[in-house]
Amino acid sequence: MEAMEAKVSDEAGCCTEVQVPLVQELAKQPLTSIPERYVRPELELHLVSEAEASSSSSPPPQAPVIDMAKLLSPDFHDSELHKLDYACKYWGFFQLINHGVRPSLVENVKKGVEEFFNLPVEEKTKFKKKAREVEGYGQLFVVSEEQKLDWADMLHLTTLPPEARKPHLFPNLPLPFRDNLNEYCTELWKLAMELVMLMGEALNIEGREMRELFEQGSQKVRMNYYPACPQPEKVIGLNPHSDASALTILLQVNDMQGLQIKKDDAWVPINPLPHAFVVNVGDTFEIVSNGIYKSIEHRATVNSKKERMSMTTFLNARSHGVIGPSPNLVTSERAPQFKTIPMSDFWKTFYSRQLRGKSNLDYLRIPNDTHEST
Ligand SMILES: O=C(O)CCC(=O)C(=O)O
Ligand SMILES: [Fe+2]
């Protein structure tokens, strides 16, 4: 992978310098009130409409469930591919069952994540995110001293290809977590590649084009720790956002619910099914699909009872070259919806912004009435 040097430096070094406290440590103190930097006044406005919504008799809609075994079976492939296509177009999120990753491996990884966050703070600080880096332990996307903060800490790592791992991060994870995570990442790479190839098939994108975009891509993981909060309705665990990745595979680590996705202007909770992964389309795939598949806004809420942990695995397109709508999906009826830009520029703007809504995709959007070529 000769472009690796360029890739590593493209995705790093574009972050800001603002350092913030660890929320896990903050939450251990006897808090009489939530520090102002974590209080989100906008949530109070939303509470009213959510109360109205929850008083309606119909239960919230559920994200589609996709069966990987059916996608891979000649008998069920076509009908399941149709379901996958629908899920990516209208939900941007689905639960994936029968994904083939060994349950004991998944359990070991969950255990490793819990054990990491339970390490003494001095141990975890060895992984601390350094100024101007995007990987490590702490908070990402803090771009100003005034900005509101999330009620969460994260450990963010490049996991694949192995040569892109930061020497002070992945290789220093405690054993056996390091080995389990290594195997899990290889399994999830295969799974994510299978899924993007299937999504490409459903959209009629050439296999060669998909392989060029993703085979030399990278994988990152983000382990999220949301401490219990005495006033959970005032804070947000992870600000509403869409993921920059092509595809995200989320593992809920302990049995606390908190993920919500925006569907028809309402927040819909996702309750992970046993042994399922929650999968979502990221901004990169929305661009490649020329807006046909949607990267949906989601957020993490917190609660007063118990901490919550999750781990997201991101499949990213290769970071050399450009990213833009697939030529097959730009037609006389469907103009390009996004500009084509160097992938390195895409990452630079992503890491220099606050994580907020679909702001990183919106700046690439071509207004409807403009038929400029890219
Ligand atoms: O913790 C969750 O459920 C959501 C995490 C997430 O959206 C992310 O890491 O991008
Ligand atoms: Fe996300």
Side-chain angles (χ1 to χ4, degrees):
M1 190 168 293
E2 58 313 338
M4 188 46 56
E5 284 306 314
K7 172 184 339 208
V8 175
S9 54
D10 281 349
E11 291 184 23
C14 42
C15 197
T16 54
E17 307 265 4
V18 184
Q19 298 282 319
V20 294
L22 294 169
V23 190
Q24 192 175 358
E25 294 308 303
L26 179 73
K28 282 182 189 158
Q29 295 163 21
L31 292 174
T32 46
S33 65
I34 307 296
E36 253 329 284
R37 272 193 94 179
Y38 299 88
V39 175
R40 307 279 188 146
E42 74 272 18
L43 291 175
E44 294 199 4
L45 299 172
H46 288 148
L47 277 179
V48 182
S49 53
E50 274 163 26
E52 279 163 7
S54 63
S55 67
S56 87
S57 54
S58 50
Q62 296 292 310
V65 176
I66 302 294
D67 188 334
M68 192 69 194
K70 286 191 179 162
L71 279 171
L72 300 177
S73 125
D75 289 346
F76 297 102
H77 173 82
D78 291 358
S79 60
E80 204 64 12
L81 193 69
H82 185 70
K83 279 177 72 181
L84 175 69
D85 184 54
Y86 179 89
C88 295
K89 273 181 184 150
Y90 301 108
W91 280 85
F93 262 83
F94 55 90
Q95 298 216 36
L96 187 70
I97 58 169
N98 294 326
H99 47 65
V101 182
R102 245 183 27 255
S104 60
L105 178 62
V106 176
E107 286 311 310
N108 285 337
V109 167
K110 287 183 182 176
K111 196 157 163 257
V113 175
E114 294 202 53
E115 284 172 0
F116 175 82
F117 285 114
N118 287 332
L119 285 173
V121 66
E122 311 78 60
E123 286 298 311
K124 281 179 290 191
T125 316
K126 293 181 187 156
F127 296 84
K128 200 165 180 331
K129 190 181 91 60
K130 297 182 183 139
R132 306 199 67 77
E133 287 199 357
V134 299
E135 294 185 40
Y137 174 54
Q139 279 204 8
L140 253 180
F141 310 107
V142 185
V143 296
S144 84
E145 299 288 348
E146 287 76 41
Q147 181 186 328
K148 291 287 181 183
L149 299 177
D150 291 340
W151 193 261
D153 300 322
M154 54 175 74
L155 174 64
H156 186 220
L157 307 169
T158 297
T159 41
L160 288 174
E163 58 273 29
R165 292 174 184 170
K166 293 264 183 290
H168 66 292
L169 296 176
F170 196 108
N172 281 333
L173 286 172
L175 286 169
F177 182 39
R178 194 195 318 155
D179 287 344
N180 289 326
L181 187 63
N182 192 34
E183 190 184 347
Y184 179 85
C185 288
T186 310
E187 291 293 304
L188 261 71
W189 174 267
K190 281 191 251 160
L191 182 62
M193 279 304 292
E194 275 170 345
L195 281 169
V196 288
M197 293 307 288
L198 288 159
M199 287 154 68
E201 181 188 337
L203 286 166
N204 273 323
I205 303 178
E206 279 179 36
R208 182 191 46 81
E209 190 186 331
M210 297 299 287
R211 280 192 293 277
E212 264 174 27
L213 271 173
F214 298 113
E215 268 177 359
Q216 292 194 18
S218 67
Q219 184 193 63
K220 283 190 159 57
V221 302
R222 197 149 77 199
M223 301 169 211
N224 302 301
Y225 183 94
Y226 308 98
C229 176
Q231 292 178 298
E233 66 291 347
K234 292 202 159 159
V235 304
I236 192 84
L238 196 53
N239 209 29
H241 66 283
S242 59
D243 294 340
S245 61
L247 191 80
T248 303
I249 303 182
L250 180 133
L251 172 68
Q252 183 155 285
V253 170
N254 62 349
D255 53 3
M256 299 304 288
Q257 199 274 320
L259 175 64
Q260 296 181 337
I261 69 170
K262 206 175 201 177
K263 174 87 178 121
D264 304 327
D265 279 333
W267 288 109
V268 174
I270 300 275
N271 295 308
L273 299 167
H275 306 298
F277 287 131
V278 176
V279 181
N280 64 280
V281 176
D283 293 345
T284 306
F285 210 97
E286 178 164 341
I287 296 173
V288 172
S289 76
N290 199 19
I292 297 174
Y293 285 179
K294 301 286 186 302
S295 77
I296 293 296
E297 263 186 72
H298 52 286
R299 67 179 186 181
T301 58
V302 301
N303 71 82
S304 58
K305 292 182 202 76
K306 200 178 152 187
E307 75 276 14
R308 174 170 180 266
M309 282 167 264
S310 67
M311 183 167 103
T312 31
T313 305
F314 302 108
L315 172 70
N316 295 329
R318 58 165 198 202
S319 62
H320 51 290
V322 295
I323 187 84
S326 166
N328 276 9
L329 304 178
V330 177
T331 59
S332 50
E333 287 84 49
R334 191 170 182 88
Q337 313 280 306
F338 300 100
K339 295 178 194 139
T340 294
I341 59 158
M343 202 60 203
S344 52
D345 289 357
F346 176 86
W347 287 118
K348 246 173 233 143
T349 54
F350 176 67
Y351 284 119
S352 59
R353 284 162 186 260
Q354 190 182 350
L355 192 61
R356 186 170 48 78
K358 295 191 65 163
S359 57
N360 196 46
L361 194 60
D362 287 342
Y363 93 102
L364 291 175
R365 220 176 273 284
I366 299 174
N368 265 346
D369 51 354
T370 323
H371 289 275
E372 69 187 42
S373 70
T374 50

